[in-house]
Amino acid sequence: ENGWFAPSEEIRFMHAEDVGDNEEAIVETIQKLKEIISDCFLSVQGNGSITGLYSLDDLFCLLNSVGKLEDATTVQDMIKEVFKEFPDSSLRKQLDAGISELIEGKTKQALETFSDIVATEPSYGEAWNKKATVHYMLGEREAAIEASNKALETDPRNFQALAGIGLVEMDALNDKEAITAFQQCLELNPWSMVSARLSICMNRRARSSSKADSVDE
């Protein structure tokens, strides 16, 4: 109209423009993400890429805009798939192999796979994150935190790595450090399941502080 082109809200979102509280645009975008995720593994197996469809900036914007857990889960799954993406398709497939090993209970074999990946390419953040997961499962606290920090060096928005650090610190009763990690995770992903663990750590820390005050009196 009047020679001007008015892009749809969905197109504006895909180009990182703010769609505000436009519920229809959010619903349309969520549906498109579901379609992309359903084809994701085929895309990877065919050496395709999903990162050109939506940027992480777009996805984190959407993650903070959705109002339902189901939709948030869809966006989280997409973000996780983008984290897995890497220019070297052979390393990407090697990451999938390590994940399969982990699912099958081949923990030490998976650790070797992820260790080989980061030795070859230290900038592969998601390989560090998966390596951290395995270390945590093996009870190797320091190694888990070190690997998680490596993942965060690659992308500070890796909320899974922050959640992992929180879990390690929580298990070690380092509530102050766990609270910090969980809070940082929730700032990035308000739908993260760590909120319950954050409450436990805060309550535990509050009780410890109360006991200390009682002793001082």
Side-chain angles (χ1 to χ4, degrees):
E1 187 175 294
N2 299 324
W4 290 94
F5 169 67
S8 69
E9 295 289 353
E10 184 180 6
I11 291 176
R12 288 175 55 208
F13 174 78
M14 291 178 67
H15 290 274
E17 294 187 32
D18 185 15
V19 297
D21 297 324
N22 189 306
E23 183 68 23
E24 182 178 350
I26 291 174
V27 170
E28 290 177 1
T29 306
I30 288 292
Q31 183 57 42
K32 186 173 289 293
L33 285 178
K34 289 180 179 178
E35 294 170 1
I36 293 169
I37 290 171
S38 67
D39 295 333
C40 179
F41 292 109
L42 291 176
S43 172
V44 171
Q45 291 169 359
N47 295 326
S49 174
I50 59 174
T51 55
L53 299 171
Y54 289 97
S55 72
L56 279 174
D57 288 341
D58 294 338
L59 293 168
F60 275 105
C61 174
L62 184 59
L63 187 59
N64 284 273
S65 299
V66 296
K68 295 189 298 183
L69 178 58
E70 179 185 358
D71 292 343
T73 300
T74 298
V75 182
Q76 288 179 86
D77 288 344
M78 187 64 178
I79 290 174
K80 292 172 185 177
E81 290 303 324
V82 174
F83 280 151
K84 292 178 187 175
E85 284 287 279
F86 200 72
D88 188 331
S89 61
S90 64
L91 289 179
R92 175 66 176 86
K93 290 179 180 179
Q94 194 174 353
L95 182 80
D96 283 339
I99 294 171
S100 295
E101 291 165 351
L102 193 58
I103 293 172
E104 293 168 4
K106 301 175 182 177
T107 313
K108 292 188 177 181
Q109 190 172 332
L111 180 58
E112 289 180 7
T113 299
F114 298 136
S115 296
D116 287 344
I117 295 173
V118 297
T120 302
E121 185 48 78
S123 67
Y124 199 166
E126 191 55 23
W128 282 112
N129 184 48
K130 292 295 184 284
K131 185 173 186 289
T133 299
V134 180
H135 282 305
Y136 175 72
M137 293 173 68
L138 293 173
E140 299 168 353
R141 175 180 175 273
E142 295 298 331
I145 291 180
E146 180 181 358
S148 291
N149 282 326
K150 288 287 188 181
L152 290 168
E153 287 177 13
T154 303
D155 192 334
R157 294 174 295 184
N158 195 321
F159 52 80
Q160 290 178 288
L162 287 166
I165 291 174
L167 288 172
V168 173
E169 299 290 12
M170 180 181 181
D171 288 352
L173 302 181
N174 296 329
D175 289 328
K176 181 179 179 181
E177 291 79 5
I179 289 169
T180 298
F182 287 148
Q183 287 177 333
Q184 291 174 342
C185 175
L186 288 166
E187 286 175 7
L188 292 166
N189 178 12
W191 296 91
S192 173
M193 301 301 287
V194 304
S195 55
R197 292 181 172 88
L198 173 61
S199 296
I200 292 172
C201 291
M202 293 183 72
N203 291 336
R204 194 161 61 190
R205 186 167 170 77
R207 288 196 299 270
S208 297
S209 178
S210 178
K211 287 181 181 178
D213 291 342
S214 298
V215 171
D216 292 338
E217 291 176 0

